[in-house]
Amino acid sequence: MRPRARLCLTDLHGSLSDPVLDTMNFLNEVTARFPEAISFAPGRPHEGSFDPGSVGRYLRTYTSYLARERGFTPAQVTSAVFQYGRTKGQIHELLARTLGNDEGIWVPPEAIVVTVGAQEAMLLVLRALFAGPADVLLASSPCYVGITGAARLLDIEVVPVAEGDTGPDPDAIADAAQAARAAGRRPRVFYVVPDFANPSGASMTVHARQRLLDVAAAQDLLVVEDNPYGFFTRDVSPRPTLKSLDRDCRVIYLGSFAKTCFPGARLGYVVADQDVAVPDGSRRLLADELAKVKSMVTVNTASLSQAVVAGMLIENGYQLRSANEAAAAFYRANMQAVLTGLGRYFPAGRHAEHGVSWNSPDGGFFVVVTVPFAADDAALEVSAREYGVLWTPMRSFYAGREGDRQLRLSCSYVSPGEVAEGMRRLAAFIMGQRAS
Amino acid sequence: MRPRARLCLTDLHGSLSDPVLDTMNFLNEVTARFPEAISFAPGRPHEGSFDPGSVGRYLRTYTSYLARERGFTPAQVTSAVFQYGRTKGQIHELLARTLGNDEGIWVPPEAIVVTVGAQEAMLLVLRALFAGPADVLLASSPCYVGITGAARLLDIEVVPVAEGDTGPDPDAIADAAQAARAAGRRPRVFYVVPDFANPSGASMTVHARQRLLDVAAAQDLLVVEDNPYGFFTRDVSPRPTLKSLDRDCRVIYLGSFAKTCFPGARLGYVVADQDVAVPDGSRRLLADELAKVKSMVTVNTASLSQAVVAGMLIENGYQLRSANEAAAAFYRANMQAVLTGLGRYFPAGRHAEHGVSWNSPDGGFFVVVTVPFAADDAALEVSAREYGVLWTPMRSFYAGREGDRQLRLSCSYVSPGEVAEGMRRLAAFIMGQRAS
C-alpha cells in the first residue's frame, strides 16, 4: 500500500495558523450554528422587502437599457449577461454616475475596477502596492479583519494605529509612519473606514479627515478608504468622504453593494485614479494595474451579478442613498433600541458598580460594549447556549489584547421585535458572567 | 500646491512588470478590439441557445427545490439567494452528486469549496500549500496562464515540465522534482490539464495518468488536475480523470462551469479531500483550510451565481455531460473544419515547402499551429487589421522561447459558417508573413 498524501498545518502557509483567518468564517457562520438565538453577531444587512423574483426584473431592466440606450443587438445583450466580460468590469459607467450622485465623487469610469465585493478589492490593492517585505500597512485599530486577513495572505506586516471615538488620530498616523521609516521600512498605505467603522462604530470629524489628508501628503502615504456604511447615519448629517476631499490623488476608495443592494451578488468596486509612471515614459491608471492582478484572482466579476446590480441602479435613478433611506431608518431604530436597552440594564452613573460601558456611534451597524470579564469564544458559547443571544468578540479585531473585554453588537440583522428581548438576554448573560 | 501621489511601476509588486499578467486581459479583450475580425482567439464557450430570460427560470427551479426538497421557509429561501452564504459554498451537495454522475468522482460534499471560477481555486490552492520561497510549483509546459499568473502574484517559482502530444512525461516530472530537491527546494505540486489542455490540446493516455500518480506518490507531490474541457471529446472515448484514479489522495481537482454552463456566473469549485494534521493532534480537511484563505479573497461566492447554476444542475438531473452533448458536437465540427482548412492550404507532404505544421487534438477547444515566422503581438496586429482574423500567440504560455513561432487557434467561439472563411484569411496571413 502506497502512502497517502500527508499534510501538516505547520507545512502550509503561515496565514493558516493565524487566528485572524478563522474570523470571517466565524462571523459568516456563527448565526447558522445557533438558529434559535437572537443574533447581534453578523454585519449582514436587513433583508427588508427583498424578493428573489425581483432578480428577473432587474435583469430585464438592464438588458432593456443595453438594447435601448446603448444600441446592443440581441446577441450582444446575451453576451453581456452570459459571457466572460471585461476584466475591469462592465458597469463602470453606471457606477461612476451613481458614485457622483451619492457621494460627490466624480471620477472617470476608467478609474473603476468592479470586484467580487470590497474584499477582493482589498486583496488587489495590497498585492499591487506592496512590493516586498520592507513595505508596511498602517491600519486603524481595532480593524476590520478583511484587511488584516488579506495582508496576512500576502505576508504584509500591519502596524495598528489606535482609534478613538472620532476614529484615528492623524498625529498618531504620522508618528507611526515616521517610526516605520526610522526602522528602515516603507509605510505605504493607511487603511480606514471613516464612517461608522467596523467594528468600533467610530467616525472621523470633517476636520480630522482634512488633517488625515495633510498627513498622507506629508508622509507620502496612500489612503485606502473603505465605505460600506456611509449611508446609515443616525443623528448626524452625512460627512464628506475622504475621496471627495482628496486633492492630491492619495485616496483609493473601496465601495460595496453588499450592505446597500444585495450581499448575494458579491459586488464591490475600487476607485484607483492614481497615475503610475512606467519606465518607458508612459503613464497608466492604477486601476489598470489592479485589473491585471484581478485577472489572476477571479478573471472577472460575474456578469450576472453586474447585470442585476445595474438593474437596481437604473431603477433607482443612479442613486442609492435615497433608495436606502428605509434601511437607514431600520438600522437607526435598532441601534437606538440597543442603546436604550443597555441604558436600562446598566444605568449611567453606576459604572463602578456594574462595570459595563459602551459607545454611542453616529451611525452604521455596530456598538461596542466593554464588560468586566473576558469576552472570548468560550464566553460566546455560554451566551449562545445558555442565554440564547449572540454577539462578536472584539479580540480578533486587534493585534494585541485591547479588545479582550469588549464585545461587538450588530444592529443590522436582528428584527426590531427581538431587540428588547435580546437585550434582556444579553444583560442576563453579562450579569451571570460577572457573578461567576 | 502639495505633491500629488506619485507611483512608479517599478515600486509596485514585481508581478505587474511581468508580461504574464497582461495575458489574461489580452485573451479576454482582444476580440472586442477587432469586432469585425473572425476570431480564433478566445477560449470562450459557444453561446448556443442561451437566453438571459432563462436565468429567472433557473432561479425558480432552485428556490422550489429548497422549499420542497430541503424544507426551507420562504425567509430561508430569500436568504439563500440574497444574503452572504457559507464560505465554502451552498451548493456543494449538488456539485458532489453531479461530479459523481459525470466523472465517477465520489467525494464528500464537505471536501468541495465553491469558488469564483477555477481561477480563484488556483489562487487558494497555491496560497494554502506554498509556505515559503523553498516551495516550487511544477507545471506542464506550455501552461495555462491562470496558474503561472497566480503563482507570480504569490512570488511562487514555477518549474516547467515539457509536454508532448500525450501531455507531460511522468519521468520528466520525476526528474524535475528530484532536481528541485537536489537544489534544496521542496517540489510541492504538479499542475496539469490532462484532457485537451489549454493551450496545447494535448491529452494524457490512461497509462500516463497512472504513471503520473505513481510518480506523485514516489516524489511526494500533490497533483492539481484542472478539467474545464473534459466533456468535449472528438473521436476518442472519455478517459478517467486523475482524481477518479487517485487512491492516495494526491489529486486536488479543479472544476469549472464556465465552459459547460455559464461563464457569466463565474462559478467553479475545488475538491480537496486531503487530511491536514493539526499540532493539537486533530485533523481537518484541506478544503476547510482553502475556505479560510477564500474568506480573505472573496468572502464567499455569489449566492446568486450558485443559485442559477444549481437550477441548471437540477433541470439536467445532476449531470452535465449529456447536457453538453450538443455543445461537444459543435466544438467537434468546428475543430474538424479548422483541421480541414489547414490541410487544404498547407498540404501534407509539402511541409518543407510551406513550413507550417499543426497538431490534431483528441478534443477540447485548441489547435496549435507552428509557422515559419515570429507569431507575436505585432504579427497578431497585422493579422487582425490587414487580414481580419484573430488567434493567440503561444509565447505567453511558455517560460522560454519555445512558443515564439506558434499560434493557438480556438475552435469554440467562432461560428461554423465563418470557419472556412476564417481559415482562408489565416492562410493568406501566414503566406503573407512568409513572403515578407
PDB file of all heavy atoms in Angstrom, chain A residues 113-128:
ATOM      1  N   VAL A 113     -12.550  49.685 -10.977  1.00  0.00           N
ATOM      2  CA  VAL A 113     -12.481  48.238 -11.216  1.00  0.00           C
ATOM      3  C   VAL A 113     -13.613  47.591 -10.427  1.00  0.00           C
ATOM      4  O   VAL A 113     -13.705  47.777  -9.203  1.00  0.00           O
ATOM      5  CB  VAL A 113     -11.134  47.635 -10.753  1.00  0.00           C
ATOM      6  CG1 VAL A 113     -11.085  46.134 -11.064  1.00  0.00           C
ATOM      7  CG2 VAL A 113      -9.966  48.355 -11.401  1.00  0.00           C
ATOM      8  N   VAL A 114     -14.476  46.867 -11.132  1.00  0.00           N
ATOM      9  CA  VAL A 114     -15.565  46.139 -10.463  1.00  0.00           C
ATOM     10  C   VAL A 114     -14.981  44.864  -9.869  1.00  0.00           C
ATOM     11  O   VAL A 114     -14.246  44.138 -10.548  1.00  0.00           O
ATOM     12  CB  VAL A 114     -16.686  45.801 -11.464  1.00  0.00           C
ATOM     13  CG1 VAL A 114     -17.851  45.136 -10.748  1.00  0.00           C
ATOM     14  CG2 VAL A 114     -17.168  47.052 -12.192  1.00  0.00           C
ATOM     15  N   THR A 115     -15.301  44.589  -8.615  1.00  0.00           N
ATOM     16  CA  THR A 115     -14.662  43.481  -7.893  1.00  0.00           C
ATOM     17  C   THR A 115     -15.693  42.556  -7.253  1.00  0.00           C
ATOM     18  O   THR A 115     -16.864  42.902  -7.141  1.00  0.00           O
ATOM     19  CB  THR A 115     -13.733  44.037  -6.795  1.00  0.00           C
ATOM     20  OG1 THR A 115     -14.494  44.915  -5.958  1.00  0.00           O
ATOM     21  CG2 THR A 115     -12.561  44.781  -7.390  1.00  0.00           C
ATOM     22  N   VAL A 116     -15.201  41.386  -6.841  1.00  0.00           N
ATOM     23  CA  VAL A 116     -16.049  40.434  -6.121  1.00  0.00           C
ATOM     24  C   VAL A 116     -16.123  40.907  -4.666  1.00  0.00           C
ATOM     25  O   VAL A 116     -15.418  40.415  -3.788  1.00  0.00           O
ATOM     26  CB  VAL A 116     -15.493  39.001  -6.245  1.00  0.00           C
ATOM     27  CG1 VAL A 116     -16.430  38.022  -5.535  1.00  0.00           C
ATOM     28  CG2 VAL A 116     -15.340  38.603  -7.707  1.00  0.00           C
ATOM     29  N   GLY A 117     -16.979  41.872  -4.436  1.00  0.00           N
ATOM     30  CA  GLY A 117     -17.073  42.503  -3.129  1.00  0.00           C
ATOM     31  C   GLY A 117     -15.866  43.394  -2.864  1.00  0.00           C
ATOM     32  O   GLY A 117     -14.859  43.370  -3.587  1.00  0.00           O
ATOM     33  N   ALA A 118     -15.975  44.195  -1.809  1.00  0.00           N
ATOM     34  CA  ALA A 118     -14.837  45.029  -1.424  1.00  0.00           C
ATOM     35  C   ALA A 118     -13.660  44.164  -0.974  1.00  0.00           C
ATOM     36  O   ALA A 118     -12.513  44.592  -1.029  1.00  0.00           O
ATOM     37  CB  ALA A 118     -15.240  45.990  -0.312  1.00  0.00           C
ATOM     38  N   GLN A 119     -13.936  42.931  -0.541  1.00  0.00           N
ATOM     39  CA  GLN A 119     -12.844  42.064  -0.096  1.00  0.00           C
ATOM     40  C   GLN A 119     -11.827  41.842  -1.200  1.00  0.00           C
ATOM     41  O   GLN A 119     -10.625  41.966  -0.984  1.00  0.00           O
ATOM     42  CB  GLN A 119     -13.406  40.725   0.394  1.00  0.00           C
ATOM     43  CG  GLN A 119     -12.351  39.818   1.012  1.00  0.00           C
ATOM     44  CD  GLN A 119     -11.720  40.425   2.248  1.00  0.00           C
ATOM     45  OE1 GLN A 119     -12.399  41.016   3.084  1.00  0.00           O
ATOM     46  NE2 GLN A 119     -10.398  40.329   2.369  1.00  0.00           N
ATOM     47  N   GLU A 120     -12.302  41.475  -2.391  1.00  0.00           N
ATOM     48  CA  GLU A 120     -11.339  41.274  -3.481  1.00  0.00           C
ATOM     49  C   GLU A 120     -10.584  42.573  -3.764  1.00  0.00           C
ATOM     50  O   GLU A 120      -9.387  42.551  -4.051  1.00  0.00           O
ATOM     51  CB  GLU A 120     -12.023  40.784  -4.763  1.00  0.00           C
ATOM     52  CG  GLU A 120     -10.992  40.390  -5.820  1.00  0.00           C
ATOM     53  CD  GLU A 120     -11.556  40.204  -7.222  1.00  0.00           C
ATOM     54  OE1 GLU A 120     -12.583  40.834  -7.558  1.00  0.00           O
ATOM     55  OE2 GLU A 120     -10.965  39.437  -8.001  1.00  0.00           O
ATOM     56  N   ALA A 121     -11.275  43.708  -3.668  1.00  0.00           N
ATOM     57  CA  ALA A 121     -10.614  44.992  -3.910  1.00  0.00           C
ATOM     58  C   ALA A 121      -9.451  45.187  -2.936  1.00  0.00           C
ATOM     59  O   ALA A 121      -8.380  45.686  -3.311  1.00  0.00           O
ATOM     60  CB  ALA A 121     -11.621  46.135  -3.789  1.00  0.00           C
ATOM     61  N   MET A 122      -9.654  44.798  -1.673  1.00  0.00           N
ATOM     62  CA  MET A 122      -8.554  44.931  -0.691  1.00  0.00           C
ATOM     63  C   MET A 122      -7.358  44.104  -1.120  1.00  0.00           C
ATOM     64  O   MET A 122      -6.208  44.566  -1.072  1.00  0.00           O
ATOM     65  CB  MET A 122      -9.032  44.457   0.688  1.00  0.00           C
ATOM     66  CG  MET A 122     -10.072  45.371   1.286  1.00  0.00           C
ATOM     67  SD  MET A 122     -10.626  44.774   2.905  1.00  0.00           S
ATOM     68  CE  MET A 122     -12.257  45.537   2.893  1.00  0.00           C
ATOM     69  N   LEU A 123      -7.630  42.867  -1.539  1.00  0.00           N
ATOM     70  CA  LEU A 123      -6.526  41.997  -1.951  1.00  0.00           C
ATOM     71  C   LEU A 123      -5.791  42.583  -3.162  1.00  0.00           C
ATOM     72  O   LEU A 123      -4.556  42.587  -3.215  1.00  0.00           O
ATOM     73  CB  LEU A 123      -7.061  40.601  -2.275  1.00  0.00           C
ATOM     74  CG  LEU A 123      -5.974  39.552  -2.484  1.00  0.00           C
ATOM     75  CD1 LEU A 123      -5.471  39.036  -1.138  1.00  0.00           C
ATOM     76  CD2 LEU A 123      -6.474  38.391  -3.328  1.00  0.00           C
ATOM     77  N   LEU A 124      -6.543  43.100  -4.117  1.00  0.00           N
ATOM     78  CA  LEU A 124      -5.913  43.666  -5.317  1.00  0.00           C
ATOM     79  C   LEU A 124      -5.029  44.852  -4.961  1.00  0.00           C
ATOM     80  O   LEU A 124      -3.895  44.978  -5.450  1.00  0.00           O
ATOM     81  CB  LEU A 124      -6.978  44.122  -6.324  1.00  0.00           C
ATOM     82  CG  LEU A 124      -7.994  43.090  -6.801  1.00  0.00           C
ATOM     83  CD1 LEU A 124      -8.913  43.700  -7.861  1.00  0.00           C
ATOM     84  CD2 LEU A 124      -7.330  41.836  -7.331  1.00  0.00           C
ATOM     85  N   VAL A 125      -5.554  45.737  -4.121  1.00  0.00           N
ATOM     86  CA  VAL A 125      -4.799  46.940  -3.746  1.00  0.00           C
ATOM     87  C   VAL A 125      -3.523  46.551  -3.000  1.00  0.00           C
ATOM     88  O   VAL A 125      -2.427  47.059  -3.290  1.00  0.00           O
ATOM     89  CB  VAL A 125      -5.685  47.879  -2.899  1.00  0.00           C
ATOM     90  CG1 VAL A 125      -4.852  48.984  -2.261  1.00  0.00           C
ATOM     91  CG2 VAL A 125      -6.803  48.469  -3.754  1.00  0.00           C
ATOM     92  N   LEU A 126      -3.662  45.638  -2.049  1.00  0.00           N
ATOM     93  CA  LEU A 126      -2.472  45.237  -1.291  1.00  0.00           C
ATOM     94  C   LEU A 126      -1.442  44.587  -2.200  1.00  0.00           C
ATOM     95  O   LEU A 126      -0.247  44.886  -2.123  1.00  0.00           O
ATOM     96  CB  LEU A 126      -2.859  44.282  -0.159  1.00  0.00           C
ATOM     97  CG  LEU A 126      -3.690  44.886   0.974  1.00  0.00           C
ATOM     98  CD1 LEU A 126      -3.974  43.820   2.025  1.00  0.00           C
ATOM     99  CD2 LEU A 126      -2.998  46.083   1.609  1.00  0.00           C
ATOM    100  N   ARG A 127      -1.925  43.674  -3.081  1.00  0.00           N
ATOM    101  CA  ARG A 127      -0.956  42.978  -3.945  1.00  0.00           C
ATOM    102  C   ARG A 127      -0.230  43.967  -4.847  1.00  0.00           C
ATOM    103  O   ARG A 127       0.984  43.892  -5.025  1.00  0.00           O
ATOM    104  CB  ARG A 127      -1.625  41.881  -4.765  1.00  0.00           C
ATOM    105  CG  ARG A 127      -0.693  41.172  -5.747  1.00  0.00           C
ATOM    106  CD  ARG A 127       0.507  40.429  -5.094  1.00  0.00           C
ATOM    107  NE  ARG A 127       1.262  41.214  -4.120  1.00  0.00           N
ATOM    108  CZ  ARG A 127       2.106  40.720  -3.243  1.00  0.00           C
ATOM    109  NH1 ARG A 127       2.333  39.434  -3.195  1.00  0.00           N
ATOM    110  NH2 ARG A 127       2.740  41.497  -2.387  1.00  0.00           N
ATOM    111  N   ALA A 128      -0.961  44.900  -5.429  1.00  0.00           N
ATOM    112  CA  ALA A 128      -0.327  45.821  -6.367  1.00  0.00           C
ATOM    113  C   ALA A 128       0.656  46.750  -5.660  1.00  0.00           C
ATOM    114  O   ALA A 128       1.755  46.994  -6.162  1.00  0.00           O
ATOM    115  CB  ALA A 128      -1.387  46.643  -7.095  1.00  0.00           C
TER     116      ALA A 128
END
